[in-house]
Amino acid sequence: KEDMNFLQNGSPAVIENWKKYNCTLNKYVKVTGWEDTFTGNAIDITAEGGLVVKCDDGEIRTFYSGEVSLSR
């Protein structure tokens, strides 16, 4: 079913379903990469699949890789 959804509607439909079932959106998260760790509120998923986080320092960053965990 998801394959047909992608074929018929493209990636926006897949991203919307991803957002619907994602457990990190609108939650406080910790994102750990190779060199840095950031914490903040997960606010969106981009069309390319990146997790958008409003970090504690006020910066809005998009993460395409790293370990994401719920915090607090």
Coordinates of all heavy atoms in Angstrom, one line a residue:
K1 N 0.8 -1.2 0.0 CA 0.0 0.0 0.0 C 0.9 1.3 0.0 O 0.6 2.2 -0.7 CB -0.9 0.0 1.2 CG -1.9 1.1 1.2 CD -2.9 1.0 2.3 CE -3.8 2.1 2.3 NZ -4.9 2.0 3.3
E2 N 1.9 1.3 0.8 CA 2.8 2.5 0.9 C 3.5 2.7 -0.4 O 3.7 3.8 -0.9 CB 3.8 2.3 2.0 CG 3.2 2.5 3.4 CD 2.6 3.8 3.6 OE1 3.1 4.9 3.3 OE2 1.4 3.9 4.2
D3 N 3.9 1.5 -1.1 CA 4.6 1.7 -2.4 C 3.7 2.3 -3.4 O 4.1 3.2 -4.2 CB 5.0 0.3 -2.9 CG 6.1 -0.3 -2.1 OD1 6.9 0.5 -1.4 OD2 6.3 -1.5 -2.0
M4 N 2.4 1.9 -3.4 CA 1.4 2.5 -4.4 C 1.2 4.0 -4.0 O 1.1 4.8 -4.9 CB 0.1 1.7 -4.3 CG 0.2 0.4 -5.0 SD 0.8 0.5 -6.7 CE -0.6 1.4 -7.5
N5 N 1.2 4.3 -2.7 CA 1.0 5.7 -2.3 C 2.1 6.6 -2.9 O 1.9 7.6 -3.4 CB 0.9 5.8 -0.8 CG 0.5 7.1 -0.3 OD1 -0.2 7.9 -1.0 ND2 0.7 7.4 0.9
F6 N 3.4 6.1 -2.7 CA 4.5 6.8 -3.3 C 4.5 6.9 -4.8 O 4.7 8.0 -5.3 CB 5.8 6.1 -2.8 CG 7.1 6.7 -3.4 CD1 7.5 7.9 -2.8 CD2 7.7 6.2 -4.5 CE1 8.6 8.6 -3.4 CE2 8.9 6.8 -5.0 CZ 9.3 8.0 -4.4
L7 N 4.1 5.8 -5.4 CA 4.1 5.8 -6.9 C 3.0 6.8 -7.4 O 3.2 7.5 -8.4 CB 3.8 4.4 -7.5 CG 5.0 3.5 -7.3 CD1 4.6 2.1 -7.7 CD2 6.2 3.9 -8.0
Q8 N 1.9 6.8 -6.7 CA 0.8 7.7 -7.2 C 0.9 9.1 -6.8 O 0.5 10.0 -7.5 CB -0.6 7.1 -6.6 CG -0.9 5.8 -7.2 CD -2.1 5.2 -6.5 OE1 -2.5 5.6 -5.5 NE2 -2.7 4.2 -7.2
N9 N 1.5 9.4 -5.6 CA 1.5 10.8 -5.0 C 2.9 11.3 -4.8 O 3.0 12.5 -4.4 CB 0.7 10.8 -3.7 CG -0.7 10.3 -3.9 OD1 -1.4 10.7 -4.8 ND2 -1.1 9.4 -3.0
G10 N 3.9 10.6 -4.9 CA 5.3 11.1 -4.7 C 5.6 11.1 -3.3 O 4.9 10.7 -2.4
S11 N 6.8 11.8 -3.0 CA 7.3 11.8 -1.6 C 6.5 12.6 -0.6 O 6.5 12.3 0.6 CB 8.7 12.2 -1.6 OG 8.9 13.6 -2.0
P12 N 5.7 13.6 -1.0 CA 4.9 14.4 0.0 C 4.0 13.5 0.8 O 3.8 13.6 2.0 CB 4.2 15.4 -0.8 CG 5.1 15.7 -2.0 CD 5.7 14.3 -2.3
A13 N 3.4 12.5 0.1 CA 2.4 11.6 0.8 C 3.2 10.7 1.7 O 2.7 10.4 2.8 CB 1.7 10.7 -0.3
V14 N 4.4 10.2 1.4 CA 5.2 9.4 2.3 C 5.6 10.2 3.5 O 5.5 9.7 4.6 CB 6.4 8.8 1.5 CG1 7.3 8.1 2.5 CG2 5.9 7.9 0.4
I15 N 6.1 11.4 3.3 CA 6.5 12.3 4.4 C 5.3 12.6 5.3 O 5.5 12.5 6.6 CB 7.1 13.6 3.8 CG1 8.4 13.3 3.1 CG2 7.4 14.6 5.0 CD1 9.5 12.7 3.9
E16 N 4.2 12.8 4.8 CA 3.0 13.0 5.7 C 2.7 11.8 6.6 O 2.4 12.0 7.7 CB 1.8 13.4 4.9 CG 1.8 14.9 4.3 CD 2.1 15.9 5.4 OE1 1.5 15.9 6.5 OE2 3.1 16.7 5.2
N17 N 2.8 10.6 6.0 CA 2.6 9.4 6.8 C 3.7 9.2 7.8 O 3.5 8.8 8.9 CB 2.5 8.2 5.9 CG 1.1 7.9 5.4 OD1 0.2 8.3 6.0 ND2 1.0 7.3 4.2
W18 N 4.9 9.6 7.4 CA 6.1 9.5 8.3 C 5.9 10.4 9.5 O 6.1 10.0 10.6 CB 7.3 9.9 7.5 CG 8.7 9.7 8.2 CD1 8.9 9.3 9.5 CD2 9.9 9.8 7.6 NE1 10.2 9.2 9.7 CE2 10.9 9.5 8.6 CE3 10.3 10.1 6.3 CZ2 12.3 9.5 8.3 CZ3 11.7 10.2 6.0 CH2 12.6 9.9 7.0
K19 N 5.4 11.6 9.2 CA 5.1 12.6 10.3 C 4.0 12.1 11.2 O 4.1 12.2 12.4 CB 4.7 13.9 9.7 CG 5.8 14.7 9.1 CD 5.2 16.0 8.6 CE 6.3 16.8 7.8 NZ 5.8 18.1 7.4
K20 N 3.0 11.4 10.6 CA 1.9 10.9 11.4 C 2.3 9.9 12.4 O 1.8 9.8 13.5 CB 0.9 10.3 10.4 CG -0.4 9.8 11.0 CD -1.3 9.5 9.8 CE -2.4 8.5 10.2 NZ -3.2 8.1 9.0
Y21 N 3.3 9.0 12.0 CA 3.7 7.9 12.9 C 5.0 8.1 13.6 O 5.4 7.3 14.4 CB 3.7 6.6 12.1 CG 2.4 6.2 11.6 CD1 2.0 6.3 10.2 CD2 1.4 5.7 12.4 CE1 0.8 6.0 9.7 CE2 0.2 5.3 12.0 CZ -0.1 5.5 10.6 OH -1.4 5.1 10.2
N22 N 5.6 9.2 13.4 CA 6.9 9.5 14.0 C 6.7 9.8 15.5 O 5.9 10.6 15.9 CB 7.5 10.7 13.3 CG 9.0 11.0 13.8 OD1 9.2 11.4 14.9 ND2 9.9 10.6 12.9
C23 N 7.6 9.2 16.3 CA 7.5 9.3 17.8 C 8.3 10.5 18.3 O 8.2 10.8 19.5 CB 7.8 8.1 18.5 SG 9.6 7.6 18.4
T24 N 9.1 11.2 17.5 CA 9.9 12.3 18.0 C 9.3 13.7 17.8 O 9.7 14.6 18.4 CB 11.3 12.2 17.4 OG1 11.2 12.4 16.0 CG2 12.0 10.9 17.7
L25 N 8.4 13.8 16.8 CA 7.8 15.1 16.5 C 7.1 15.7 17.7 O 6.4 15.0 18.5 CB 6.9 15.1 15.3 CG 7.5 15.0 14.0 CD1 6.5 15.0 12.9 CD2 8.5 16.2 13.8
N26 N 7.4 17.0 18.0 CA 6.8 17.7 19.1 C 7.2 17.2 20.4 O 6.5 17.3 21.4 CB 5.2 17.7 19.0 CG 4.8 18.3 17.7 OD1 5.2 19.4 17.3 ND2 3.9 17.6 17.0
K27 N 8.4 16.6 20.4 CA 9.0 16.1 21.7 C 10.4 16.7 21.9 O 11.0 17.1 20.9 CB 9.1 14.5 21.6 CG 7.8 13.8 21.5 CD 7.1 13.7 22.8 CE 5.8 13.0 22.8 NZ 5.4 12.1 21.9
Y28 N 10.9 16.7 23.1 CA 12.2 17.1 23.4 C 13.2 16.0 23.1 O 13.0 14.9 23.6 CB 12.3 17.5 24.9 CG 13.6 18.3 25.2 CD1 13.7 19.6 24.9 CD2 14.6 17.6 25.9 CE1 14.9 20.3 25.2 CE2 15.8 18.3 26.2 CZ 15.9 19.6 25.8 OH 17.1 20.3 26.1
V29 N 14.2 16.2 22.2 CA 15.0 15.1 21.8 C 16.5 15.5 22.0 O 16.9 16.7 22.2 CB 14.8 14.8 20.3 CG1 13.4 14.3 20.0 CG2 15.1 16.0 19.4
K30 N 17.3 14.5 22.0 CA 18.8 14.6 21.9 C 19.3 14.0 20.6 O 18.9 12.8 20.3 CB 19.4 13.9 23.1 CG 20.9 14.0 23.1 CD 21.5 13.5 24.4 CE 21.5 12.0 24.5 NZ 22.3 11.5 25.7
V31 N 20.0 14.7 19.9 CA 20.6 14.2 18.6 C 22.1 14.2 18.8 O 22.7 15.2 19.0 CB 20.2 15.1 17.4 CG1 20.8 14.6 16.1 CG2 18.7 15.3 17.3
T32 N 22.7 13.0 18.6 CA 24.1 12.8 18.8 C 24.7 12.4 17.4 O 24.2 11.5 16.8 CB 24.4 11.7 19.8 OG1 23.7 12.0 21.0 CG2 25.9 11.5 20.0
G33 N 25.7 13.2 17.0 CA 26.4 13.0 15.7 C 27.8 12.5 16.0 O 28.1 12.1 17.2
W34 N 28.6 12.6 15.0 CA 30.0 12.2 15.2 C 30.8 13.0 16.2 O 31.6 12.5 17.0 CB 30.8 12.2 13.8 CG 30.4 11.1 12.9 CD1 29.6 11.2 11.8 CD2 30.8 9.7 13.0 NE1 29.4 10.0 11.2 CE2 30.2 9.1 12.0 CE3 31.6 9.0 13.9 CZ2 30.4 7.7 11.8 CZ3 31.8 7.7 13.7 CH2 31.2 7.0 12.6
E35 N 30.5 14.3 16.1 CA 31.3 15.2 17.0 C 30.5 16.0 18.0 O 31.1 16.5 19.0 CB 32.1 16.2 16.1 CG 33.1 15.5 15.2 CD 33.9 16.5 14.3 OE1 33.6 17.7 14.4 OE2 34.7 16.0 13.5
D36 N 29.2 16.2 17.7 CA 28.4 17.1 18.6 C 27.2 16.4 19.0 O 26.7 15.5 18.4 CB 28.1 18.4 17.8 CG 29.3 19.2 17.5 OD1 30.1 19.4 18.3 OD2 29.4 19.6 16.3
T37 N 26.6 17.0 20.1 CA 25.3 16.5 20.6 C 24.4 17.8 20.7 O 24.9 18.8 21.3 CB 25.4 15.8 21.9 OG1 26.2 14.6 21.7 CG2 24.0 15.4 22.5
F38 N 23.2 17.7 20.3 CA 22.3 18.8 20.4 C 21.0 18.4 21.0 O 20.6 17.2 20.9 CB 21.9 19.4 19.0 CG 23.1 19.9 18.2 CD1 23.8 19.1 17.4 CD2 23.5 21.3 18.4 CE1 24.9 19.6 16.7 CE2 24.6 21.8 17.7 CZ 25.3 21.0 16.8
T39 N 20.4 19.3 21.8 CA 19.1 19.0 22.4 C 18.1 20.1 22.0 O 18.5 21.2 21.8 CB 19.2 18.9 23.9 OG1 19.8 20.0 24.5 CG2 20.0 17.6 24.4
G40 N 16.9 19.7 21.9 CA 15.8 20.7 21.6 C 14.5 20.0 21.2 O 14.4 18.8 21.4
N41 N 13.6 20.8 20.7 CA 12.3 20.3 20.3 C 12.3 19.9 18.8 O 12.6 20.8 18.0 CB 11.2 21.3 20.6 CG 11.0 21.5 22.1 OD1 10.8 20.5 22.8 ND2 11.1 22.7 22.6
A42 N 11.9 18.7 18.5 CA 11.7 18.2 17.2 C 10.4 18.9 16.6 O 9.4 18.6 17.2 CB 11.6 16.7 17.1
I43 N 10.6 19.7 15.6 CA 9.4 20.4 15.1 C 8.9 20.0 13.7 O 7.8 20.4 13.4 CB 9.7 22.0 15.1 CG1 10.9 22.3 14.3 CG2 9.9 22.4 16.6 CD1 11.1 23.8 14.2
D44 N 9.7 19.3 12.9 CA 9.2 19.0 11.6 C 10.1 17.9 11.0 O 11.2 17.6 11.5 CB 9.2 20.3 10.7 CG 8.3 20.2 9.5 OD1 7.6 19.2 9.4 OD2 8.3 21.1 8.7
I45 N 9.7 17.4 9.8 CA 10.4 16.5 9.0 C 10.4 17.2 7.6 O 9.3 17.5 7.1 CB 9.9 15.1 8.9 CG1 10.0 14.5 10.3 CG2 10.6 14.3 7.9 CD1 9.4 13.1 10.4
T46 N 11.6 17.4 7.0 CA 11.6 18.0 5.7 C 11.2 17.1 4.6 O 11.1 15.8 4.8 CB 13.0 18.5 5.3 OG1 13.9 17.3 5.2 CG2 13.6 19.4 6.4
A47 N 11.0 17.6 3.4 CA 10.6 16.8 2.2 C 11.7 15.7 1.9 O 11.4 14.7 1.3 CB 10.3 17.7 1.0
E48 N 12.9 16.0 2.3 CA 14.0 15.1 2.0 C 14.2 14.1 3.2 O 15.1 13.3 3.1 CB 15.3 15.9 1.9 CG 15.3 16.8 0.6 CD 14.6 18.1 0.9 OE1 14.5 18.5 2.1 OE2 14.1 18.7 -0.1
G49 N 13.4 14.2 4.2 CA 13.5 13.3 5.4 C 14.3 13.7 6.5 O 14.6 12.9 7.4
G50 N 14.8 15.0 6.5 CA 15.6 15.5 7.6 C 14.7 15.8 8.8 O 13.6 16.3 8.7
L51 N 15.2 15.6 10.0 CA 14.5 16.0 11.3 C 14.9 17.4 11.6 O 16.1 17.7 11.8 CB 14.9 15.0 12.4 CG 14.2 15.3 13.7 CD1 12.7 15.0 13.6 CD2 14.8 14.4 14.8
V52 N 13.9 18.3 11.7 CA 14.1 19.7 12.1 C 13.9 19.9 13.6 O 12.9 19.5 14.1 CB 13.1 20.6 11.3 CG1 13.4 22.1 11.6 CG2 13.2 20.3 9.8
V53 N 15.0 20.4 14.2 CA 15.0 20.6 15.7 C 15.3 22.0 16.0 O 16.2 22.6 15.5 CB 16.1 19.7 16.3 CG1 16.1 19.9 17.8 CG2 15.8 18.2 16.0
K54 N 14.4 22.6 16.9 CA 14.7 23.9 17.4 C 15.5 23.7 18.6 O 15.0 23.2 19.7 CB 13.4 24.7 17.8 CG 13.8 26.1 18.3 CD 12.5 26.9 18.4 CE 13.0 28.3 18.9 NZ 11.8 29.2 19.1
C55 N 16.8 23.9 18.5 CA 17.8 23.6 19.6 C 17.7 24.5 20.7 O 17.2 25.6 20.6 CB 19.2 23.5 19.0 SG 19.4 22.2 17.8
D56 N 18.2 24.1 21.9 CA 18.2 24.9 23.1 C 18.8 26.3 22.9 O 18.5 27.2 23.6 CB 18.9 24.2 24.2 CG 18.1 23.0 24.7 OD1 16.8 22.9 24.4 OD2 18.7 22.1 25.3
D57 N 19.8 26.4 22.0 CA 20.5 27.7 21.8 C 19.7 28.6 20.9 O 20.1 29.7 20.5 CB 21.9 27.5 21.2 CG 21.9 26.8 19.9 OD1 20.8 26.6 19.3 OD2 23.0 26.5 19.4
G58 N 18.5 28.2 20.4 CA 17.6 29.0 19.6 C 17.8 28.7 18.1 O 16.9 29.1 17.3
E59 N 18.8 28.0 17.7 CA 19.1 27.7 16.3 C 18.1 26.6 15.9 O 17.8 25.7 16.6 CB 20.5 27.2 16.1 CG 21.6 28.3 16.3 CD 21.8 29.1 15.1 OE1 21.6 28.6 14.0 OE2 22.3 30.2 15.2
I60 N 17.7 26.7 14.6 CA 16.9 25.6 14.0 C 17.8 24.9 13.1 O 18.4 25.4 12.2 CB 15.7 26.2 13.2 CG1 14.7 26.8 14.3 CG2 15.0 25.1 12.5 CD1 13.5 27.5 13.7
R61 N 18.0 23.6 13.4 CA 18.9 22.7 12.6 C 18.2 21.6 12.0 O 17.2 21.1 12.6 CB 20.0 22.2 13.5 CG 21.0 23.3 14.1 CD 22.1 22.7 14.9 NE 23.1 23.6 15.3 CZ 23.0 24.5 16.3 NH1 22.0 24.5 17.1 NH2 24.0 25.3 16.5
T62 N 18.7 21.1 10.9 CA 18.1 19.9 10.2 C 19.1 18.8 10.3 O 20.3 19.0 9.9 CB 17.7 20.2 8.8 OG1 16.8 21.3 8.8 CG2 17.0 19.0 8.1
F63 N 18.7 17.6 10.8 CA 19.6 16.5 10.9 C 19.2 15.4 9.9 O 18.0 15.0 9.8 CB 19.5 16.0 12.3 CG 20.0 17.0 13.3 CD1 19.1 17.8 14.0 CD2 21.3 17.1 13.6 CE1 19.5 18.7 14.9 CE2 21.8 18.0 14.6 CZ 20.8 18.8 15.2
Y64 N 20.2 14.9 9.2 CA 19.9 13.8 8.2 C 20.5 12.5 8.7 O 20.3 11.5 8.1 CB 20.5 14.2 6.8 CG 19.7 15.4 6.2 CD1 20.2 16.7 6.4 CD2 18.5 15.2 5.6 CE1 19.5 17.7 5.8 CE2 17.8 16.2 5.1 CZ 18.3 17.5 5.2 OH 17.6 18.6 4.7
S65 N 21.3 12.6 9.7 CA 21.9 11.4 10.3 C 22.2 11.6 11.8 O 22.2 12.8 12.2 CB 23.2 10.9 9.5 OG 24.2 11.9 9.7
G66 N 22.5 10.6 12.5 CA 22.8 10.7 13.9 C 21.8 9.9 14.7 O 20.9 9.3 14.2
E67 N 22.2 9.7 16.0 CA 21.3 9.0 16.9 C 20.3 10.0 17.6 O 20.7 11.0 18.1 CB 22.1 8.3 18.0 CG 21.3 7.5 19.0 CD 22.1 6.9 20.1 OE1 23.3 6.5 19.8 OE2 21.7 6.8 21.2
V68 N 19.0 9.7 17.5 CA 18.0 10.5 18.0 C 17.3 9.8 19.2 O 16.9 8.6 19.0 CB 16.9 10.9 17.0 CG1 15.9 11.8 17.6 CG2 17.6 11.6 15.8
S69 N 17.2 10.4 20.3 CA 16.6 9.8 21.5 C 15.7 10.8 22.1 O 15.9 12.0 22.1 CB 17.6 9.2 22.5 OG 18.4 10.2 22.9
L70 N 14.6 10.3 22.7 CA 13.7 11.2 23.5 C 14.4 11.6 24.8 O 15.1 10.7 25.4 CB 12.4 10.5 23.8 CG 11.6 10.2 22.6 CD1 10.3 9.4 23.0 CD2 11.2 11.4 21.8
S71 N 14.3 12.8 25.2 CA 15.0 13.3 26.4 C 14.0 13.9 27.3 O 12.9 14.3 26.9 CB 16.1 14.3 26.0 OG 16.9 14.6 27.0
R72 N 14.3 14.0 28.6 CA 13.5 14.6 29.6 C 12.4 13.7 30.1 O 11.6 13.1 29.6 CB 12.9 15.9 29.3 CG 13.8 17.0 29.3 CD 13.1 18.3 29.3 NE 14.1 19.4 29.2 CZ 13.8 20.6 28.8 NH1 12.6 21.0 28.5 NH2 14.7 21.5 28.7

